[in-house]
Amino acid sequence: MDPKLIETVVACVVKGLGYKLPVAERNGIPVGISNRHIHLSLKDAAVLFGDGYNLTKVRDLSQIGEYAAAEMVTLVGPKGVIPGVRILGPFRNHSQVEISRTDGFMLGIRPPIRDSGKITGSAGLTLVGPVGALTLKEGVITAARHIHMSDIEASVFNLKDGDFLTVETAGLRASCLKNVLVRVGPNFRLELHIDTDEANATGLNNGDLVSVVPG
Amino acid sequence: MDPKLIETVVACVVKGLGYKLPVAERNGIPVGISNRHIHLSLKDAAVLFGDGYNLTKVRDLSQIGEYAAAEMVTLVGPKGVIPGVRILGPFRNHSQVEISRTDGFMLGIRPPIRDSGKITGSAGLTLVGPVGALTLKEGVITAARHIHMSDIEASVFNLKDGDFLTVETAGLRASCLKNVLVRVGPNFRLELHIDTDEANATGLNNGDLVSVVPG
């Protein structure tokens, strides 16, 4: 069957079943601002916090299964130090540090702009925890902006995982942000993820709504 | 005479005389990134650096007559401190502190986005110099993005002081920035001024070129 037809049928059925699009069709896509944070591997967590250490969940994040942990470490770069950087759980296969370009200047490193998980050849950095210090050879990135959405939301938007789109913001610092990666997954909830530089440059706050530029 | 005709004639004459547009017509408008900085009144400089103190020029800035001074002070807000913030000369009638929204979060203040000189009702802050400390009741802003250009450049672009336009950037973080104020003056040189948040959100560096979005 024609995939386009399948998509159309799914979108119609979804709408017919009364599925309530979060805010998408009505107003726009909600913004979630990512402050600097760290995803740790079990092995690296052992170095920073001790063998067999388990993270302490303090708050669920908007994406299902992800949480903010109580644990924090200090980032130490060649030019500066940033204390109190939060660990997000659960553990991942590879440690990944996500910082803004502003943070990079403070630390004296230039992480590349990358999609989460694509850390080969990215920047290195030293992390200092209560039990030990760890120098990552790579794993430090500035996260590329992206929109999470569920399969159903993707159907309704007529988008698929890996698509790119442009979003538009309003206000004194009204901007359009191009090259926004669409990430579709069953556990994803509709949200545009930008970093603190992008939020501050556009004047956006958590929960603000942006619109998709047609075309 | 029709003002539009005058502009057209001036632009033709200017071009006929072989006036060399910096880079504008050829490639775009060069970017100048403003880091946090301070313009001081003579009176406020006396409090921070001592009576009759003169600023020490270390470097001319791109706009004619403006310079970076050797002098620096510490900004002290309710939530944080930023040391080593540079004074720009010459003295002005009113002191003005220009910081990014990121800086505002670090200090614990929320300066409004304003055009330079429009400080009524803006944020306050304490400045600490080698001789004394000074608490400004207002004068702290996040500078609204703007383009400086000479009268001749404005003629060629067919723009006038106070106009607004949209500029476009390229690269991984390609964006368009709306509401860019055009500032025309005989001592101005063609340059888009953005702050560090805007530079980091778009991946722009000093001297990069942006294009004007037609329309």
Side-chain angles (χ1 to χ4, degrees), chain B:
Chain B
M1 198 189 289
D2 173 20
K4 182 81 197 152
L5 179 61
I6 297 176
E7 276 174 12
T8 308
V9 170
V10 169
C12 288
V13 171
V14 159
K15 281 179 183 167
L17 288 172
Y19 173 77
K20 194 171 167 293
L21 263 183
V23 283
E25 279 207 333
R26 288 169 290 149
N27 301 308
I29 294 173
V31 172
I33 301 164
S34 300
N35 201 349
R36 60 182 81 100
H37 64 269
I38 301 165
H39 304 280
L40 282 181
S41 68
L42 195 60
K43 189 168 113 306
D44 289 346
V47 177
L48 297 167
F49 297 102
D51 275 336
Y53 193 87
N54 269 321
L55 295 174
T56 316
K57 185 194 286 195
V58 291
R59 187 171 58 86
D60 282 315
L61 299 181
S62 57
Q63 301 308 313
I64 297 165
E66 301 276 308
Y67 62 89
E71 288 74 13
M72 294 192 264
V73 300
T74 298
L75 303 182
V76 183
K79 285 200 182 165
V81 170
I82 302 179
V85 180
R86 193 170 295 280
I87 311 296
L88 303 190
F91 290 125
R92 293 193 178 180
N93 289 335
H94 297 282
S95 292
Q96 178 172 298
V97 179
E98 296 180 42
I99 63 173
S100 69
R101 197 180 182 224
T102 296
D103 294 337
F105 282 121
M106 285 201 281
L107 294 166
I109 62 171
R110 295 292 294 263
I113 292 165
R114 291 281 180 84
D115 300 328
S116 185
K118 297 189 176 166
I119 58 170
T120 307
S122 59
L125 193 63
T126 295
L127 283 58
V128 183
V131 168
L134 168 75
T135 297
L136 297 175
K137 286 207 178 109
E138 61 182 20
V140 186
I141 64 169
T142 295
R145 53 199 177 217
H146 54 275
I147 294 178
H148 289 272
M149 57 179 72
S150 69
D151 303 271
I152 292 174
E153 284 152 358
S155 272
V156 175
F157 273 115
N158 197 22
L159 288 167
K160 60 181 192 306
D161 191 62
D163 282 351
F164 286 91
L165 48 77
T166 297
V167 298
E168 202 167 36
T169 75
L172 274 175
R173 289 189 147 183
S175 308
C176 70
L177 305 175
K178 304 177 188 181
N179 302 336
V180 181
L181 175 67
V182 174
R183 298 184 58 192
V184 179
N187 286 335
F188 287 166
R189 287 187 181 171
L190 188 68
E191 199 167 55
L192 167 68
H193 282 190
I194 56 175
D195 73 3
T196 47
D197 284 341
E198 292 168 315
N200 292 333
T202 52
L204 286 169
N205 295 303
N206 271 314
D208 283 354
L209 300 171
V210 299
S211 29
V212 174
V213 176

